[in-house]
Structure formats: structure tokens, C-alpha cells
Amino acid sequence: GPIITASAISETDNTAFLYEDAKFTLDASFELRDTDGSETVGDWTIIEFGEGYGEWWSYEFAGPIYSFGPFEIDGLSIAEGINISTALLDQLKFVPEANWHGDI
């Protein structure tokens, strides 16, 4: 499968730190690990929303959403998530609740 690299970028500041309660995007990229060229990165990406979604954080996305979860992928169940265009990943913003702290 692919290797996914991501770093957070605050909507209000794009330096190394993020302000509290600020929306942020993930600067994500995909890199394939196969050596024979049989795999490709597809046009659509499923983003799984983990712990705290809807309680501690939500999201904004201006682009088209292909579908909402739940999803079943190779026997793995993803309860909360969206399927969006890989080309529009930079438009997905995560929104922490007021005064929230911790991991997303």
C-alpha cells in the first residue's frame, strides 16, 4: 500500500506551531511502495474520522464529497469518514471545538 505523509498547517498561521481553536489542513502526499509498478494512487481517497469526531472536532470541505461512511475495505470497517478527490485533499480542513486540546 501507499505511504502517507502529512503535516498540519494552521489556517491562521503557517509556521511550525498551531494556534488553539484554529482550523487546520493537512499537507498530505502519497508515495507508492511497490517496485513493479502494479499499484497506482487512485482519484479518490477515503479519510477515516477517528476518536473524538463530532464531539471534539469536525471538518469543513468545499469540494465535492463522493460518499460518506460507513465503508468496508478488505474486511476493515470504517464507521465515520468521507470519500473525496485525491487532488482536493488540501481543501479538507479540521476544526477543533473551542478550548479543545489533544490529538486528532
Side-chain angles (χ1 to χ4, degrees):
I3 297 171
I4 301 171
T5 304
S7 59
I9 300 174
S10 172
E11 186 174 83
T12 56
D13 186 275
N14 61 5
T15 59
F17 61 93
L18 302 175
Y19 291 113
E20 182 177 355
D21 303 336
K23 300 173 191 175
F24 64 94
T25 60
L26 292 179
D27 183 10
S29 62
F30 296 93
E31 177 185 331
L32 294 175
R33 296 188 298 181
D34 79 329
T35 56
D36 64 5
S38 63
E39 296 178 7
T40 60
V41 174
D43 294 335
W44 297 95
T45 300
I46 293 176
I47 306 294
E48 179 180 10
F49 297 147
E51 182 179 341
Y53 170 67
E55 183 177 356
W56 303 314
W57 63 276
S58 59
Y59 73 94
E60 292 178 358
F61 183 65
I65 296 174
Y66 180 70
S67 60
F68 295 90
F71 302 102
E72 185 78 25
I73 304 170
D74 295 333
L76 176 66
S77 179
I78 297 174
E80 298 279 356
I82 57 173
N83 186 358
I84 63 175
S85 168
T86 302
L88 299 177
L89 280 174
D90 61 347
Q91 294 183 26
L92 179 63
K93 294 179 181 173
F94 294 91
V95 184
E97 294 299 320
N99 301 315
W100 181 83
H101 65 280
D103 296 332
I104 292 182

